[in-house]
Amino acid sequence: MRLPLLPRRGAHNFGFFGVLPWTAALPKGHAPPPRLAMALDLEHFAQLQRLLRLERAAARTREAEERSALTQAEREARGLSVSGLDAVEESVGLGGRFVVALERPGGAPLPARLSPGDVVQAHPRVSEGLVPERGVVVRCTRVRVEVAFDRPPQPFVRSGRVVLDVVPDDVTFARAAAAVAEVAALERGSGRRLRDLLLGSRPPEFERPTSPSAPGLNPEQAEAAGLALAARDVFCVQGPPGTGKSTILAAVAAESVRLGHAPLLCTAASNAAVDHLLSLCLGQGLRAVRIGHPARVGEGLQHAVLDVLVEAHPDRQLAKGLFDEAFALLGHARKQRTRGRSRERFANARTAQAEARALLSEARALERKAVDAVLGGAQVLCATLSALGTPPLSRMRFVLALVDEATQAIEPLTLLAFLRADRVLLAGDHRQLPPTVLSEEAVKGGLGRSLFERLVDTHGATVHRMLAEQYRMNDALLSLISAPFYAGRLRAHPSVASRTLAEVLRPGADVDAPPFLFLDTAGKGFEEAQEARSESYDNQGEAALVAARARTLLDAGLGPEALAVITPYRGQASVLQSALAGTGVEVDTVDAFQGREADAVLVSCVRSNPEGRLGFLQDLRRMNVALSRARRHLFLVGDSATLGRHPFYAQLVEQAQATGGYRSAWEWPT
């Protein structure tokens, strides 16, 4: 590809003056891009603010409805609350956080586990006149939950039975709204040019693309990585299932650091996606630091968390001693005030409080030094998009930001990356799951459309490359998604194109396992059921078929780690988890399994009703994820009488029939 030469900027020269926009040609043989969207005006940002308010209202409404409609027992059964807790232990964490461990009397098991990172409110069972204490779950076992508070909690947390309620976190909404306002206010220089690019009135610009030094990239990956490194403002890499999006991100991260563009920012909307980026960078041998609450970071990555690294720093050790002295003085002051009202006691209390404040100030200064030292030695900083709106990241500027799973982030949050970095690489796939938005009105208004998708629609091939060679699915499975979602452009690498499930089963195992097997339950009476006081569904008949199939494959020698069971509905996932308890087989929702894979994947579609209602199965992006998780064998269970009313599912059933993969549940062994 011949490109017009552009003057290369220095490491700290990011102006666009005198630079001509470069429009990339489509790779040979690719179809021309669709008609591009029209440029937007400033009303777009006002609309985003309105949509954010709608979404925040929807989250509050859902939380209030759950609180009022469900009994305490029902809330506990759903993991939304735990009651009857007593404080059994206290400790001090980084930054003077108070960590309180709570258990039920006698070490009785908790009804449902909370998750690390959950924001909770602590209050007594009868809490009239008391303001709940907000904290974050640090860890949770079968019998104990540990909660971190930013300040010493009220006495009721330490004495008496406590209730913990999971609550929505307003912080993300506030930071997203602030980002929209900041971008809308960009009126001069490079900020104005960035705003014009985001609105579509200015094209993206590139330097001369160069191939990264990372070995093992195929030609498409090398081209995409080169363009990502050459982008002066933004570039989008679309990674359909199994095409190596992670490989691109790792290569760009390593090359950026090699070029001296450190520290590099790696970010995403979810903690899981950020942890994935962190793993990629550590795998490249980069000095990467994870910023965020330790409770929200995977256990195997705790060694790279800022809090943990700072904890081991000598200045932090000094600060910890000062914190202990300060808290002891504050405790002494409280005792002086409660033991009497004499002048001497009040004077002693004031003196102790003054000494404590001085010690706390000195401790925090030492802690800031330790934090600065750790950040200063990092080549990569990893954090969620929401965390970019607070210190230390809100005070920092980066040469490049990598945003993974950008198609699952709402636009207001993604804007935070553009406010922190001169260049941004957005990686994702808008043919898979979109951002999660509760408000139907906000979805209709456009909040469910990611910035990635909007930029691709606006700027077309100038800002975007799609990877087409995939390394996961065999040819038969690939055909299920290539034509309907990617215009038939995907192709299987020769190393995976013809692989089968038989290759990983016990020799001689007799299992009916074509690459794609659709088991049709039409007419069997396996109708869906909606859970009481819930929007979720289950289907006991389908669950029994899927559980039996899982055991058949395990008996045939398939390891549990090579098998996954997924379903679109949480209710069905719960039924299947119970049915397969103790097998070691992972059971999860489709949404939670995006980005992962297994040799064999069993999918329960759930919906079966005379009216042909499909619910959110009508969002075919979710089915794209479900169909693309398997490497060798996909087992799909559904009711063709219900599913077949939609043309996509009708075609899917026809494809199973044409390839010898259709089976009826009437003839299926049980």
mmCIF file of all heavy atoms in Angstrom, residues 479-523:
data_model
loop_
_atom_site.group_PDB
_atom_site.id
_atom_site.type_symbol
_atom_site.label_atom_id
_atom_site.label_comp_id
_atom_site.label_asym_id
_atom_site.label_seq_id
_atom_site.Cartn_x
_atom_site.Cartn_y
_atom_site.Cartn_z
ATOM 1 N N SER A 479 -18.743 -21.003 9.475
ATOM 2 C CA SER A 479 -19.784 -20.659 8.501
ATOM 3 C C SER A 479 -21.062 -20.163 9.178
ATOM 4 O O SER A 479 -21.877 -19.483 8.553
ATOM 5 C CB SER A 479 -20.103 -21.868 7.619
ATOM 6 O OG SER A 479 -20.728 -22.900 8.377
ATOM 7 N N LEU A 480 -21.260 -20.482 10.447
ATOM 8 C CA LEU A 480 -22.465 -20.058 11.152
ATOM 9 C C LEU A 480 -22.500 -18.550 11.370
ATOM 10 O O LEU A 480 -23.574 -17.955 11.461
ATOM 11 C CB LEU A 480 -22.571 -20.766 12.514
ATOM 12 C CG LEU A 480 -22.639 -22.295 12.499
ATOM 13 C CD1 LEU A 480 -22.668 -22.821 13.930
ATOM 14 C CD2 LEU A 480 -23.845 -22.780 11.716
ATOM 15 N N ILE A 481 -21.322 -17.917 11.470
ATOM 16 C CA ILE A 481 -21.291 -16.486 11.771
ATOM 17 C C ILE A 481 -20.728 -15.634 10.641
ATOM 18 O O ILE A 481 -21.012 -14.440 10.567
ATOM 19 C CB ILE A 481 -20.484 -16.204 13.054
ATOM 20 C CG1 ILE A 481 -18.999 -16.558 12.856
ATOM 21 C CG2 ILE A 481 -21.064 -16.949 14.247
ATOM 22 C CD1 ILE A 481 -18.090 -16.044 13.959
ATOM 23 N N SER A 482 -19.938 -16.220 9.747
ATOM 24 C CA SER A 482 -19.239 -15.417 8.742
ATOM 25 C C SER A 482 -20.201 -14.692 7.813
ATOM 26 O O SER A 482 -20.110 -13.475 7.616
ATOM 27 C CB SER A 482 -18.282 -16.290 7.929
ATOM 28 O OG SER A 482 -17.565 -15.503 6.986
ATOM 29 N N ALA A 483 -21.156 -15.427 7.234
ATOM 30 C CA ALA A 483 -22.073 -14.796 6.279
ATOM 31 C C ALA A 483 -23.046 -13.822 6.938
ATOM 32 O O ALA A 483 -23.174 -12.680 6.498
ATOM 33 C CB ALA A 483 -22.828 -15.866 5.499
ATOM 34 N N PRO A 484 -23.737 -14.213 8.020
ATOM 35 C CA PRO A 484 -24.737 -13.292 8.573
ATOM 36 C C PRO A 484 -24.163 -12.068 9.274
ATOM 37 O O PRO A 484 -24.829 -11.036 9.341
ATOM 38 C CB PRO A 484 -25.523 -14.166 9.559
ATOM 39 C CG PRO A 484 -24.618 -15.283 9.899
ATOM 40 C CD PRO A 484 -23.784 -15.533 8.686
ATOM 41 N N PHE A 485 -22.944 -12.155 9.799
ATOM 42 C CA PHE A 485 -22.418 -11.046 10.593
ATOM 43 C C PHE A 485 -21.235 -10.322 9.941
ATOM 44 O O PHE A 485 -20.984 -9.161 10.259
ATOM 45 C CB PHE A 485 -21.983 -11.549 11.974
ATOM 46 C CG PHE A 485 -23.113 -12.101 12.794
ATOM 47 C CD1 PHE A 485 -23.248 -13.471 12.992
ATOM 48 C CD2 PHE A 485 -24.068 -11.268 13.344
ATOM 49 C CE1 PHE A 485 -24.292 -13.992 13.733
ATOM 50 C CE2 PHE A 485 -25.123 -11.769 14.091
ATOM 51 C CZ PHE A 485 -25.234 -13.135 14.286
ATOM 52 N N TYR A 486 -20.507 -10.995 9.043
ATOM 53 C CA TYR A 486 -19.277 -10.409 8.512
ATOM 54 C C TYR A 486 -19.188 -10.495 6.991
ATOM 55 O O TYR A 486 -18.098 -10.518 6.424
ATOM 56 C CB TYR A 486 -18.057 -11.086 9.154
ATOM 57 C CG TYR A 486 -18.088 -11.007 10.663
ATOM 58 C CD1 TYR A 486 -18.480 -12.104 11.433
ATOM 59 C CD2 TYR A 486 -17.783 -9.819 11.322
ATOM 60 C CE1 TYR A 486 -18.540 -12.025 12.813
ATOM 61 C CE2 TYR A 486 -17.841 -9.736 12.705
ATOM 62 C CZ TYR A 486 -18.226 -10.836 13.444
ATOM 63 O OH TYR A 486 -18.291 -10.734 14.810
ATOM 64 N N ALA A 487 -20.326 -10.520 6.325
ATOM 65 C CA ALA A 487 -20.403 -10.513 4.865
ATOM 66 C C ALA A 487 -19.570 -11.619 4.231
ATOM 67 O O ALA A 487 -19.066 -11.468 3.122
ATOM 68 C CB ALA A 487 -19.962 -9.151 4.329
ATOM 69 N N GLY A 488 -19.398 -12.732 4.939
ATOM 70 C CA GLY A 488 -18.667 -13.873 4.399
ATOM 71 C C GLY A 488 -17.161 -13.687 4.328
ATOM 72 O O GLY A 488 -16.476 -14.481 3.675
ATOM 73 N N ARG A 489 -16.623 -12.689 5.007
ATOM 74 C CA ARG A 489 -15.204 -12.367 4.881
ATOM 75 C C ARG A 489 -14.283 -13.170 5.790
ATOM 76 O O ARG A 489 -13.066 -13.181 5.591
ATOM 77 C CB ARG A 489 -14.994 -10.872 5.146
ATOM 78 C CG ARG A 489 -15.576 -9.978 4.056
ATOM 79 C CD ARG A 489 -15.541 -8.524 4.479
ATOM 80 N NE ARG A 489 -14.218 -8.081 4.860
ATOM 81 C CZ ARG A 489 -13.953 -6.916 5.455
ATOM 82 N NH1 ARG A 489 -14.952 -6.092 5.747
ATOM 83 N NH2 ARG A 489 -12.720 -6.576 5.765
ATOM 84 N N LEU A 490 -14.829 -13.842 6.804
ATOM 85 C CA LEU A 490 -13.968 -14.583 7.723
ATOM 86 C C LEU A 490 -13.470 -15.872 7.075
ATOM 87 O O LEU A 490 -14.158 -16.496 6.275
ATOM 88 C CB LEU A 490 -14.724 -14.920 9.009
ATOM 89 C CG LEU A 490 -15.233 -13.754 9.855
ATOM 90 C CD1 LEU A 490 -15.792 -14.280 11.169
ATOM 91 C CD2 LEU A 490 -14.144 -12.721 10.108
ATOM 92 N N ARG A 491 -12.289 -16.269 7.460
ATOM 93 C CA ARG A 491 -11.735 -17.531 6.978
ATOM 94 C C ARG A 491 -10.954 -18.181 8.123
ATOM 95 O O ARG A 491 -10.368 -17.493 8.973
ATOM 96 C CB ARG A 491 -10.812 -17.308 5.778
ATOM 97 C CG ARG A 491 -9.612 -16.440 6.064
ATOM 98 C CD ARG A 491 -8.819 -16.113 4.805
ATOM 99 N NE ARG A 491 -7.612 -15.356 5.128
ATOM 100 C CZ ARG A 491 -7.591 -14.046 5.343
ATOM 101 N NH1 ARG A 491 -8.708 -13.342 5.246
ATOM 102 N NH2 ARG A 491 -6.464 -13.433 5.640
ATOM 103 N N ALA A 492 -10.956 -19.498 8.144
ATOM 104 C CA ALA A 492 -10.263 -20.242 9.190
ATOM 105 C C ALA A 492 -8.811 -20.467 8.803
ATOM 106 O O ALA A 492 -8.506 -20.820 7.661
ATOM 107 C CB ALA A 492 -10.959 -21.579 9.429
ATOM 108 N N HIS A 493 -7.920 -20.274 9.757
ATOM 109 C CA HIS A 493 -6.510 -20.593 9.524
ATOM 110 C C HIS A 493 -6.388 -22.105 9.304
ATOM 111 O O HIS A 493 -7.118 -22.894 9.925
ATOM 112 C CB HIS A 493 -5.673 -20.158 10.727
ATOM 113 C CG HIS A 493 -4.210 -20.283 10.521
ATOM 114 N ND1 HIS A 493 -3.504 -21.425 10.845
ATOM 115 C CD2 HIS A 493 -3.302 -19.408 10.006
ATOM 116 C CE1 HIS A 493 -2.219 -21.249 10.554
ATOM 117 N NE2 HIS A 493 -2.075 -20.037 10.031
ATOM 118 N N PRO A 494 -5.479 -22.532 8.415
ATOM 119 C CA PRO A 494 -5.353 -23.970 8.133
ATOM 120 C C PRO A 494 -5.145 -24.832 9.374
ATOM 121 O O PRO A 494 -5.540 -26.003 9.391
ATOM 122 C CB PRO A 494 -4.135 -24.028 7.201
ATOM 123 C CG PRO A 494 -4.128 -22.693 6.514
ATOM 124 C CD PRO A 494 -4.615 -21.718 7.537
ATOM 125 N N SER A 495 -4.562 -24.266 10.413
ATOM 126 C CA SER A 495 -4.290 -25.060 11.610
ATOM 127 C C SER A 495 -5.553 -25.446 12.367
ATOM 128 O O SER A 495 -5.534 -26.370 13.197
ATOM 129 C CB SER A 495 -3.360 -24.283 12.551
ATOM 130 O OG SER A 495 -3.986 -23.090 12.997
ATOM 131 N N VAL A 496 -6.691 -24.760 12.116
ATOM 132 C CA VAL A 496 -7.924 -25.057 12.847
ATOM 133 C C VAL A 496 -9.067 -25.453 11.923
ATOM 134 O O VAL A 496 -10.107 -25.916 12.387
ATOM 135 C CB VAL A 496 -8.369 -23.844 13.701
ATOM 136 C CG1 VAL A 496 -7.264 -23.419 14.650
ATOM 137 C CG2 VAL A 496 -8.815 -22.668 12.821
ATOM 138 N N ALA A 497 -8.908 -25.285 10.626
ATOM 139 C CA ALA A 497 -10.027 -25.403 9.687
ATOM 140 C C ALA A 497 -10.723 -26.759 9.733
ATOM 141 O O ALA A 497 -11.941 -26.846 9.567
ATOM 142 C CB ALA A 497 -9.545 -25.118 8.271
ATOM 143 N N SER A 498 -9.988 -27.830 9.957
ATOM 144 C CA SER A 498 -10.591 -29.159 9.866
ATOM 145 C C SER A 498 -10.565 -29.925 11.180
ATOM 146 O O SER A 498 -10.816 -31.133 11.197
ATOM 147 C CB SER A 498 -9.873 -29.981 8.783
ATOM 148 O OG SER A 498 -8.490 -30.093 9.081
ATOM 149 N N ARG A 499 -10.302 -29.279 12.276
ATOM 150 C CA ARG A 499 -10.218 -30.037 13.525
ATOM 151 C C ARG A 499 -11.609 -30.463 14.009
ATOM 152 O O ARG A 499 -12.609 -29.807 13.732
ATOM 153 C CB ARG A 499 -9.497 -29.244 14.603
ATOM 154 C CG ARG A 499 -10.110 -27.945 15.028
ATOM 155 C CD ARG A 499 -9.157 -27.276 16.013
ATOM 156 N NE ARG A 499 -9.640 -26.001 16.518
ATOM 157 C CZ ARG A 499 -8.931 -25.221 17.314
ATOM 158 N NH1 ARG A 499 -7.706 -25.588 17.684
ATOM 159 N NH2 ARG A 499 -9.416 -24.072 17.754
ATOM 160 N N THR A 500 -11.655 -31.588 14.748
ATOM 161 C CA THR A 500 -12.920 -32.172 15.177
ATOM 162 C C THR A 500 -12.878 -32.479 16.668
ATOM 163 O O THR A 500 -11.804 -32.521 17.296
ATOM 164 C CB THR A 500 -13.219 -33.472 14.421
ATOM 165 O OG1 THR A 500 -12.219 -34.447 14.767
ATOM 166 C CG2 THR A 500 -13.222 -33.246 12.918
ATOM 167 N N LEU A 501 -14.043 -32.744 17.222
ATOM 168 C CA LEU A 501 -14.112 -33.089 18.641
ATOM 169 C C LEU A 501 -13.508 -34.463 18.904
ATOM 170 O O LEU A 501 -12.930 -34.707 19.969
ATOM 171 C CB LEU A 501 -15.571 -33.056 19.114
ATOM 172 C CG LEU A 501 -15.783 -33.248 20.612
ATOM 173 C CD1 LEU A 501 -15.167 -32.104 21.399
ATOM 174 C CD2 LEU A 501 -17.263 -33.371 20.942
ATOM 175 N N ALA A 502 -13.615 -35.374 17.938
ATOM 176 C CA ALA A 502 -13.108 -36.734 18.132
ATOM 177 C C ALA A 502 -11.630 -36.746 18.498
ATOM 178 O O ALA A 502 -11.166 -37.651 19.203
ATOM 179 C CB ALA A 502 -13.348 -37.561 16.867
ATOM 180 N N GLU A 503 -10.901 -35.743 18.049
ATOM 181 C CA GLU A 503 -9.462 -35.688 18.317
ATOM 182 C C GLU A 503 -9.137 -35.492 19.791
ATOM 183 O O GLU A 503 -8.020 -35.794 20.229
ATOM 184 C CB GLU A 503 -8.835 -34.559 17.498
ATOM 185 C CG GLU A 503 -8.926 -34.766 15.989
ATOM 186 C CD GLU A 503 -8.553 -33.519 15.202
ATOM 187 O OE1 GLU A 503 -8.481 -32.431 15.815
ATOM 188 O OE2 GLU A 503 -8.352 -33.625 13.978
ATOM 189 N N VAL A 504 -10.081 -34.991 20.586
ATOM 190 C CA VAL A 504 -9.804 -34.750 22.008
ATOM 191 C C VAL A 504 -10.654 -35.648 22.915
ATOM 192 O O VAL A 504 -10.668 -35.468 24.134
ATOM 193 C CB VAL A 504 -10.045 -33.263 22.366
ATOM 194 C CG1 VAL A 504 -9.030 -32.380 21.667
ATOM 195 C CG2 VAL A 504 -11.464 -32.829 22.026
ATOM 196 N N LEU A 505 -11.372 -36.627 22.311
ATOM 197 C CA LEU A 505 -12.114 -37.593 23.108
ATOM 198 C C LEU A 505 -11.283 -38.863 23.299
ATOM 199 O O LEU A 505 -10.244 -39.054 22.663
ATOM 200 C CB LEU A 505 -13.438 -37.939 22.413
ATOM 201 C CG LEU A 505 -14.447 -36.800 22.229
ATOM 202 C CD1 LEU A 505 -15.710 -37.319 21.544
ATOM 203 C CD2 LEU A 505 -14.788 -36.134 23.555
ATOM 204 N N ARG A 506 -11.734 -39.728 24.174
ATOM 205 C CA ARG A 506 -11.073 -41.005 24.395
ATOM 206 C C ARG A 506 -11.102 -41.820 23.108
ATOM 207 O O ARG A 506 -12.127 -41.873 22.420
ATOM 208 C CB ARG A 506 -11.802 -41.762 25.516
ATOM 209 C CG ARG A 506 -11.119 -43.072 25.931
ATOM 210 C CD ARG A 506 -11.885 -43.778 27.041
ATOM 211 N NE ARG A 506 -13.225 -44.151 26.586
ATOM 212 C CZ ARG A 506 -14.342 -43.570 26.967
ATOM 213 N NH1 ARG A 506 -14.301 -42.563 27.819
ATOM 214 N NH2 ARG A 506 -15.517 -43.980 26.497
ATOM 215 N N PRO A 507 -9.990 -42.446 22.725
ATOM 216 C CA PRO A 507 -9.975 -43.246 21.495
ATOM 217 C C PRO A 507 -11.107 -44.275 21.499
ATOM 218 O O PRO A 507 -11.325 -44.990 22.472
ATOM 219 C CB PRO A 507 -8.604 -43.929 21.526
ATOM 220 C CG PRO A 507 -7.754 -42.998 22.346
ATOM 221 C CD PRO A 507 -8.673 -42.431 23.386
ATOM 222 N N GLY A 508 -11.842 -44.296 20.396
ATOM 223 C CA GLY A 508 -12.942 -45.244 20.259
ATOM 224 C C GLY A 508 -14.256 -44.778 20.843
ATOM 225 O O GLY A 508 -15.258 -45.507 20.758
ATOM 226 N N ALA A 509 -14.288 -43.592 21.437
ATOM 227 C CA ALA A 509 -15.535 -43.093 22.020
ATOM 228 C C ALA A 509 -16.582 -42.903 20.927
ATOM 229 O O ALA A 509 -16.306 -42.316 19.883
ATOM 230 C CB ALA A 509 -15.286 -41.771 22.742
ATOM 231 N N ASP A 510 -17.773 -43.422 21.170
ATOM 232 C CA ASP A 510 -18.858 -43.357 20.182
ATOM 233 C C ASP A 510 -19.830 -42.253 20.599
ATOM 234 O O ASP A 510 -20.740 -42.481 21.405
ATOM 235 C CB ASP A 510 -19.569 -44.704 20.098
ATOM 236 C CG ASP A 510 -20.644 -44.717 19.003
ATOM 237 O OD1 ASP A 510 -20.608 -43.810 18.139
ATOM 238 O OD2 ASP A 510 -21.504 -45.613 19.039
ATOM 239 N N VAL A 511 -19.624 -41.043 20.050
ATOM 240 C CA VAL A 511 -20.452 -39.889 20.414
ATOM 241 C C VAL A 511 -20.937 -39.221 19.132
ATOM 242 O O VAL A 511 -20.147 -38.987 18.209
ATOM 243 C CB VAL A 511 -19.655 -38.871 21.265
ATOM 244 C CG1 VAL A 511 -20.537 -37.669 21.599
ATOM 245 C CG2 VAL A 511 -19.164 -39.518 22.546
ATOM 246 N N ASP A 512 -22.212 -38.942 19.087
ATOM 247 C CA ASP A 512 -22.799 -38.229 17.943
ATOM 248 C C ASP A 512 -22.402 -36.756 18.072
ATOM 249 O O ASP A 512 -23.016 -36.003 18.816
ATOM 250 C CB ASP A 512 -24.322 -38.386 17.979
ATOM 251 C CG ASP A 512 -24.995 -37.705 16.787
ATOM 252 O OD1 ASP A 512 -24.287 -37.248 15.870
ATOM 253 O OD2 ASP A 512 -26.243 -37.613 16.792
ATOM 254 N N ALA A 513 -21.368 -36.345 17.349
ATOM 255 C CA ALA A 513 -20.833 -34.998 17.546
ATOM 256 C C ALA A 513 -20.333 -34.374 16.254
ATOM 257 O O ALA A 513 -19.131 -34.139 16.075
ATOM 258 C CB ALA A 513 -19.705 -35.026 18.587
ATOM 259 N N PRO A 514 -21.233 -34.060 15.325
ATOM 260 C CA PRO A 514 -20.794 -33.249 14.176
ATOM 261 C C PRO A 514 -20.401 -31.867 14.679
ATOM 262 O O PRO A 514 -20.742 -31.488 15.807
ATOM 263 C CB PRO A 514 -22.057 -33.196 13.309
ATOM 264 C CG PRO A 514 -23.189 -33.361 14.276
ATOM 265 C CD PRO A 514 -22.679 -34.307 15.323
ATOM 266 N N PRO A 515 -19.683 -31.091 13.875
ATOM 267 C CA PRO A 515 -19.258 -29.769 14.362
ATOM 268 C C PRO A 515 -20.410 -28.931 14.905
ATOM 269 O O PRO A 515 -20.294 -28.315 15.966
ATOM 270 C CB PRO A 515 -18.630 -29.135 13.121
ATOM 271 C CG PRO A 515 -18.132 -30.295 12.331
ATOM 272 C CD PRO A 515 -19.138 -31.384 12.540
ATOM 273 N N PHE A 516 -21.554 -28.923 14.188
ATOM 274 C CA PHE A 516 -22.716 -28.175 14.653
ATOM 275 C C PHE A 516 -23.898 -29.121 14.759
ATOM 276 O O PHE A 516 -24.299 -29.749 13.779
ATOM 277 C CB PHE A 516 -23.044 -27.043 13.680
ATOM 278 C CG PHE A 516 -24.334 -26.319 13.998
ATOM 279 C CD1 PHE A 516 -24.644 -25.953 15.305
ATOM 280 C CD2 PHE A 516 -25.234 -26.004 12.992
ATOM 281 C CE1 PHE A 516 -25.837 -25.294 15.598
ATOM 282 C CE2 PHE A 516 -26.422 -25.342 13.266
ATOM 283 C CZ PHE A 516 -26.728 -24.988 14.579
ATOM 284 N N LEU A 517 -24.449 -29.241 15.979
ATOM 285 C CA LEU A 517 -25.592 -30.112 16.201
ATOM 286 C C LEU A 517 -26.708 -29.277 16.822
ATOM 287 O O LEU A 517 -26.544 -28.709 17.902
ATOM 288 C CB LEU A 517 -25.222 -31.280 17.112
ATOM 289 C CG LEU A 517 -26.212 -32.456 17.185
ATOM 290 C CD1 LEU A 517 -25.494 -33.716 17.683
ATOM 291 C CD2 LEU A 517 -27.396 -32.167 18.085
ATOM 292 N N PHE A 518 -27.846 -29.204 16.128
ATOM 293 C CA PHE A 518 -29.022 -28.511 16.655
ATOM 294 C C PHE A 518 -30.024 -29.549 17.122
ATOM 295 O O PHE A 518 -30.492 -30.377 16.333
ATOM 296 C CB PHE A 518 -29.658 -27.615 15.592
ATOM 297 C CG PHE A 518 -30.927 -26.940 16.071
ATOM 298 C CD1 PHE A 518 -30.864 -25.879 16.951
ATOM 299 C CD2 PHE A 518 -32.176 -27.388 15.650
ATOM 300 C CE1 PHE A 518 -32.027 -25.260 17.408
ATOM 301 C CE2 PHE A 518 -33.341 -26.777 16.093
ATOM 302 C CZ PHE A 518 -33.267 -25.707 16.981
ATOM 303 N N LEU A 519 -30.352 -29.523 18.420
ATOM 304 C CA LEU A 519 -31.328 -30.447 18.990
ATOM 305 C C LEU A 519 -32.652 -29.707 19.139
ATOM 306 O O LEU A 519 -32.780 -28.778 19.939
ATOM 307 C CB LEU A 519 -30.844 -30.963 20.344
ATOM 308 C CG LEU A 519 -31.744 -31.988 21.037
ATOM 309 C CD1 LEU A 519 -31.963 -33.215 20.154
ATOM 310 C CD2 LEU A 519 -31.151 -32.402 22.388
ATOM 311 N N ASP A 520 -33.630 -30.137 18.364
ATOM 312 C CA ASP A 520 -34.919 -29.450 18.261
ATOM 313 C C ASP A 520 -35.909 -30.023 19.270
ATOM 314 O O ASP A 520 -36.236 -31.206 19.234
ATOM 315 C CB ASP A 520 -35.454 -29.620 16.836
ATOM 316 C CG ASP A 520 -36.680 -28.769 16.560
ATOM 317 O OD1 ASP A 520 -37.158 -28.076 17.484
ATOM 318 O OD2 ASP A 520 -37.162 -28.798 15.406
ATOM 319 N N THR A 521 -36.414 -29.162 20.168
ATOM 320 C CA THR A 521 -37.360 -29.608 21.195
ATOM 321 C C THR A 521 -38.807 -29.326 20.817
ATOM 322 O O THR A 521 -39.708 -29.457 21.660
ATOM 323 C CB THR A 521 -37.054 -28.913 22.536
ATOM 324 O OG1 THR A 521 -37.291 -27.507 22.401
ATOM 325 C CG2 THR A 521 -35.627 -29.166 22.970
ATOM 326 N N ALA A 522 -39.072 -28.926 19.584
ATOM 327 C CA ALA A 522 -40.433 -28.567 19.171
ATOM 328 C C ALA A 522 -41.411 -29.702 19.473
ATOM 329 O O ALA A 522 -41.158 -30.862 19.135
ATOM 330 C CB ALA A 522 -40.458 -28.236 17.680
ATOM 331 N N GLY A 523 -42.517 -29.343 20.119
ATOM 332 C CA GLY A 523 -43.558 -30.311 20.414
ATOM 333 C C GLY A 523 -43.355 -31.116 21.675
ATOM 334 O O GLY A 523 -44.239 -31.872 22.090
#
